[in-house]
């Protein structure tokens, strides 16, 4: 059983998120997703996500590529979550290229190319300007 783990906010769910999760799932037998909490986003990005964490978790849990998701409370505990869930592969979008190479002692680390021309930030800006 090969376990893949990935992390993200997944706010205002879009096709870039779906592509990332689909490709991550294809790298193993089960996919576990750490969904960052509202508090973590407020601390790191200075604003709360549009969708609250229970709703972001519900959307991620409802995807057929995803076997299980949990709340990621701090960015600094990736090693802990990898061990806790027995992950063999850590997948991150290539906006994080190189940032998690130190975890290669624990598991395989794979950076997947982002889907071009879409992001939550951009969607919020476009909607805000309509
Ligand atoms: N992602 C992707 N392609 C995109 C947007 C996101 O592959 N076009 C991936 C990210 O690389 C990450 C995961 O989806 O692995 C969750 O990303 P997240 O930061 O929640 O989404 P963004 O749309 O990038 O949000 P923001 O604009 O707020 O950074």
């Amino acid at each position: 059983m090969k376990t893949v783990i990935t992390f993200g906010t997944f706010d205002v769910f879009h096709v870039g998120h779906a592509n990332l999760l689909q490709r991550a799932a294809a790298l193993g037998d089960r996919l576990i997703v750490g969904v960052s909490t509202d508090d973590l986003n407020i601390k790191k990005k200075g604003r709360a996500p549009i969708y609250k964490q229970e709703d972001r978790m519900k959307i991620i849990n409802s995807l057929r590529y995803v076997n299980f998701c949990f709340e990621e409370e701090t960015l600094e505990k990736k090693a802990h979550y990898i061990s806790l869930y027995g992950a063999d592969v850590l997948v991150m979008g290539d906006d994080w290229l190189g940032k998690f190479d130190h975890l290669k002692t624990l598991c395989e680390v794979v950076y997947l190319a982002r889907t071009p021309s879409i992001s939550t930030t951009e969607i919020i800006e476009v909607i805000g300007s309509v």
Side-chain angles (χ1 to χ4, degrees), residues 7-12 17 34-38 41 45 49 51 56-57 60 72:
F7 298 87
T9 304
F10 303 101
D11 188 25
V12 189
H17 298 147
V35 177
S36 59
T37 60
D38 290 347
N41 279 275
K45 293 188 181 172
Y51 294 171
R56 291 182 287 112
M57 296 268 292
I60 297 301
E72 181 188 24

Side-chain angles (χ1 to χ4, degrees), residues 21-94:
L21 295 172
Q22 183 178 25
R23 287 181 293 158
L27 296 176
D29 304 302
R30 65 170 186 157
L31 175 61
I32 294 178
V33 182
V35 177
S36 59
T37 60
D38 290 347
D39 283 350
L40 175 54
N41 279 275
I42 292 164
K43 263 186 230 139
K44 295 289 168 182
K45 293 188 181 172
R47 66 163 181 83
I50 304 288
Y51 294 171
K52 59 180 191 288
Q53 83 198 41
E54 293 79 5
D55 295 351
R56 291 182 287 112
M57 296 268 292
K58 187 163 191 179
I59 291 167
I60 297 301
N61 250 327
S62 71
L63 299 170
R64 68 168 175 272
Y65 327 117
V66 176
N67 296 91
F68 173 74
C69 74
F70 65 94
E71 292 176 2
E72 181 188 24
E73 291 179 351
T74 160
L75 295 179
E76 286 75 39
K77 281 176 73 180
K78 291 215 168 36
H80 164 76
Y81 294 126
I82 287 167
S83 310
L84 185 67
Y85 296 113
D88 302 289
V89 188
L90 167 66
V91 169
M92 298 297 294
D94 65 0

